[in-house]
Amino acid sequence: MTVHDNRTRERWLMAFIFLLALAVRLIYLTHLKETPFFATLTLDAEYHHQLAQKIAAGEWSGTEVFFRAPLYIYFLALMYAVLGENFIIIRVVQFIIGSFSCVLIYLIGRRLFQPWVALVAALMGCFYGLFIYFEGELLLTGLIVFFSLLSVLQLMRAADTMRLRGWLLSGIVLGLGAITRPNILLFAPFAALWIVFTYRNKRAAYRDALPAVLTFVLGAFLIIAPISLRNFLVGNDFVLVASQGGVNFFIGNNPKADGHTAIVPGTRPTWWGGYNDSIEIAERESGKMLKPSEISRFWYLKGLAFMKENPLKALKLLLTKFSFFWNGHEIKNNKDIYFFRKYSPLLGALLWHDGLKFPFGLIAPLAIVGMIGARKQWRRCLVLYLFILSYMLSVILFFVTARFRLPVIPFLLIFAAFSLTWAIEQFNKKKFNSLLGGILIFLISFMFVNHDHPPFKQLNHFQGHYDLGMIYQRLDQDDLALAEYQESIRQAPDFPFSHFNLGSIYLGKNQLDLAIDEFETVLRLNPDFPEAHHALAQAYLAKGKHALSRAHSELAKMKSANRP
């Protein structure tokens, strides 16, 4: 078979991977569009949608320093401007990007291992349930997975030619990833060291690697610098990409942190509420108005102070986050992913929890065996090792959720596929001791990855019912919302926000006694809840109890002013 025939065959194979991945995703889309979640957005997706609407309407430069990395929002705004707010087409575009990611998995795997290893890894990517789920959300997750893969692939291609143009393009791709999600920047110093290693491995002098490293940095600078300049011109403040880092750091490193809850203690769980509360707290404690960079620095310093004052607790928390990162449970952030399975038979088939936490609970142990099995080829695989390590660190330094760890999954799929080749090779060569060692590593890893952490031991879908209740409320379907809140309360009686929303529905229906019961329950569960006092003031006013109404109105003002 000629080189031309091999290339033609490989192109057809990549086309097959792309079309298979896209077909699976379009099947999921048919399920997704029939759900209440399809067009009614909440939390991060709603934030992206609202900002994208403003940009598409003409506010291209914006008026404030970016709180979040801007690329996905502008990507969404461009689609709105060109395609309209068509949620089907937008999701199809995201699914196309996700399908290209599966091709990138193949191309990286093909460079490292046998072709069938690359094919198996890519096929696993086609059917990996979390890829499909997040690509169907108005979130940046699919985009950062794509740029993570493209960044590693371009570094490998640049190492083939050793030309400055290749290193420049590598930096540009990493820069695009950084303005999608800045934590990928932690990979940059590891990548720079890998470039130096690549030159030394080819017997070049250290001074020969310097232009390559500088060109790589220049590529990233060319992408990031305009964002920094824009932040300075718009907000008169130096913020590299976005100002969210400090708040996120404190969320993951404070006395009440559990390693996975994405809320600053004492702030509201809503997107804008929590954001505004974090600003108010920083300014109140500082005693002055703060710029976005100063707010971020305030929260970074508070998180570092916690670590300095409680080193053992901070270390324990870090180890907890490490175990969460490698646990098979998919930690929710905006939505209860497992709850969503009931709307999609495909997702239900591709995402399990009972016993084996599939797919991560199987992929991760196989990948660990594969990473160890590939140790003799460590020079070729080093860039993958470094990406997995750096990205894991960039997550566990903050807090862990399913979508935050997703960019490492494609690389784990490659090692998982390789572990099967390695096992077969050990068997064929009669290296039974090595094979048994691999099996032992798999079993130990399997038990560790599928361990039931107390917060995730039992699946409880109260959050899913709460989210669905909020959507029904927005759609003015209060009876359906009421049923969802009641089910949420049945599963989690101590969750105050379900009680509050249920009380709000009763108040709207003029069922005042039921409303008052719910609001009082909220205050029993969380005394520092000014919105509940305000609602009680309204309910008592409607009942003609003016003294009680005034009392709760004053309490609402006081609690709002003293919100921690």
Side-chain angles (χ1 to χ4, degrees):
M1 188 176 287
T2 66
V3 173
H4 175 73
D5 291 336
N6 282 334
R7 286 179 178 172
T8 301
R9 179 175 173 273
E10 188 159 65
R11 286 179 186 138
W12 279 108
L13 186 58
M14 288 189 291
F16 167 74
I17 292 168
F18 174 82
L19 292 173
L20 176 62
L22 185 58
V24 173
R25 284 153 175 75
L26 292 179
I27 291 171
Y28 174 69
L29 181 58
T30 64
H31 303 157
L32 178 62
K33 71 182 183 66
E34 300 300 326
T35 72
F37 299 95
F38 181 75
T40 306
L41 307 175
T42 59
L43 296 174
D44 289 8
E46 183 180 19
Y47 171 79
H48 295 156
H49 172 66
Q50 290 176 353
L51 288 186
Q53 282 181 315
K54 291 181 180 180
I55 294 168
E59 297 182 22
W60 287 94
S61 62
T63 57
E64 298 178 347
V65 167
F66 290 128
F67 179 67
R68 282 194 159 186
L71 184 60
Y72 178 73
I73 296 167
Y74 277 84
F75 166 75
L76 196 59
L78 181 62
M79 287 197 288
Y80 284 175
V82 175
L83 305 171
E85 293 181 21
N86 187 320
F87 289 135
I88 291 180
I89 295 177
I90 287 164
R91 285 177 166 103
V92 168
V93 172
Q94 294 188 169
F95 286 142
I96 288 172
I97 294 171
S99 300
F100 275 120
S101 292
C102 295
V103 175
L104 294 177
I105 292 172
Y106 172 81
L107 290 173
I108 294 172
R110 180 73 179 82
R111 284 176 162 270
L112 296 174
F113 305 118
Q114 298 171 3
W116 83 266
V117 172
L119 178 60
V120 170
L123 292 177
M124 288 193 287
C126 291
F127 291 95
Y128 199 85
L130 268 290
F131 290 161
I132 298 167
Y133 171 80
F134 282 114
E135 289 161 19
E137 298 293 302
L138 267 65
L139 300 172
L140 57 85
T141 314
L143 210 55
I144 190 60
V145 169
F146 175 79
F147 283 129
S148 298
L149 285 162
L150 191 59
S151 179
V152 169
L153 179 61
Q154 180 53 39
L155 281 167
M156 297 169 79
R157 285 176 170 170
D160 289 342
T161 63
M162 306 289 278
R163 294 177 180 173
L164 294 182
R165 159 174 90 182
W167 299 121
L168 180 69
L169 187 55
S170 299
I172 288 172
V173 175
L174 185 69
L176 290 170
I179 64 172
T180 303
R181 175 167 283 157
N183 65 317
I184 198 175
L185 280 174
L186 189 57
F187 176 55
F190 289 86
L193 290 173
W194 179 81
I195 292 171
V196 174
F197 169 82
T198 299
Y199 274 81
R200 292 295 294 156
N201 197 41
K202 295 188 178 183
R203 308 243 191 282
Y206 282 116
R207 64 176 178 273
D208 296 329
L210 183 59
V213 172
L214 292 177
T215 304
F216 170 72
V217 172
L218 174 62
F221 175 82
L222 290 174
I223 299 298
I224 297 172
I227 304 300
S228 305
L229 179 61
R230 178 263 175 206
N231 282 335
F232 182 77
L233 293 176
V234 169
N236 191 29
D237 190 18
F238 178 75
V239 173
L240 187 65
V241 176
S243 64
Q244 186 182 19
V247 171
N248 278 356
F249 184 73
F250 182 75
I251 285 173
N253 300 278
N254 70 76
K256 295 182 179 180
D258 57 17
H260 65 91
T261 299
I263 301 174
V264 174
T267 63
R268 289 166 285 179
T270 58
W271 168 254
W272 288 113
Y275 169 60
N276 290 327
D277 291 346
S278 69
I279 294 173
E280 290 175 11
I281 293 169
E283 292 183 338
R284 185 190 311 138
E285 293 192 18
S286 300
K288 61 179 180 178
M289 298 287 289
L290 299 175
K291 294 180 179 180
S293 64
E294 294 171 329
I295 293 168
S296 183
R297 190 180 306 117
F298 170 88
W299 289 111
Y300 268 123
L301 292 175
K302 280 186 74 73
L304 291 171
F306 158 74
M307 298 171 78
K308 182 179 179 180
E309 294 165 8
N310 305 274
L312 292 179
K313 188 173 181 178
L315 177 61
K316 182 181 178 182
L317 181 59
L318 187 68
L319 292 174
T320 298
K321 289 185 282 188
F322 173 84
S323 67
F324 286 169
F325 187 91
W326 289 101
N327 190 260
H329 179 84
E330 303 295 349
I331 300 175
K332 64 190 177 186
N333 185 210
N334 281 192
K335 293 180 184 175
D336 184 342
I337 301 168
Y338 293 106
F339 176 78
F340 205 80
R341 291 180 302 175
K342 74 177 188 176
Y343 293 103
S344 171
L346 178 65
L347 194 62
L350 298 177
L351 185 62
W352 313 340
H353 187 274
D354 298 331
L356 168 65
K357 296 177 176 63
F358 183 83
F360 191 88
L362 179 60
I363 295 300
L366 287 173
I368 291 169
V369 173
M371 284 189 279
I372 296 172
R375 64 190 181 278
K376 293 181 180 178
Q377 306 171 56
W378 69 270
R379 287 180 174 81
R380 284 194 301 168
C381 298
L382 181 59
V383 66
L384 267 66
Y385 291 141
L386 292 176
F387 184 87
I388 292 169
L389 173 63
S390 63
Y391 210 91
M392 178 193 70
L393 289 174
S394 77
V395 173
I396 67 174
L397 285 173
F398 294 82
F399 57 94
V400 182
T401 70
R403 64 183 170 122
F404 288 176
R405 78 172 174 191
L406 205 63
V408 307
I409 302 298
F411 306 103
L412 296 183
L413 294 179
I414 293 170
F415 282 116
F418 171 73
S419 71
L420 304 177
T421 301
W422 177 85
I424 293 170
E425 181 182 322
Q426 302 310 300
F427 181 83
N428 289 338
K429 291 182 178 180
K430 300 188 182 338
K431 294 184 177 181
F432 298 118
N433 287 338
S434 179
L435 180 60
L436 287 173
I439 293 172
L440 181 61
I441 291 169
F442 172 82
L443 292 175
I444 293 172
S445 302
F446 184 88
M447 288 187 288
F448 175 72
V449 170
N450 287 281
H451 168 69
D452 284 325
H453 282 284
F456 319 128
K457 191 168 185 179
Q458 296 293 330
L459 279 182
N460 188 322
H461 297 307
F462 77 91
Q463 182 75 49
H465 289 287
Y466 171 76
D467 294 340
L468 191 53
M470 287 199 300
I471 287 174
Y472 284 138
Q473 233 179 323
R474 289 189 182 188
L475 296 173
D476 294 323
Q477 299 179 11
D478 285 350
D479 290 337
L480 292 175
L482 188 145
E484 294 300 331
Y485 290 137
Q486 288 175 333
E487 179 59 25
S488 178
I489 290 168
R490 189 189 69 79
Q491 295 191 23
D494 294 339
F495 187 59
F497 303 103
S498 295
H499 288 283
F500 180 79
N501 287 6
L502 182 59
S504 298
I505 291 176
Y506 286 140
L507 184 60
K509 290 176 173 289
N510 207 39
Q511 295 177 287
L512 301 178
D513 290 333
L514 291 175
I516 289 169
D517 285 344
E518 294 300 330
F519 296 138
E520 288 180 344
T521 299
V522 172
L523 292 173
R524 187 174 68 250
L525 295 171
N526 183 359
D528 297 314
F529 202 128
E531 293 81 6
H533 283 294
H534 180 71
L536 277 169
Q538 290 180 288
Y540 281 124
L541 181 63
K543 284 178 71 74
K545 297 184 178 182
H546 299 287
L548 282 172
S549 178
R550 283 193 298 272
H552 281 288
S553 183
E554 290 301 317
L555 285 169
K557 292 176 184 177
M558 184 182 70
K559 296 287 186 180
S560 295
N562 297 326
R563 189 185 291 271

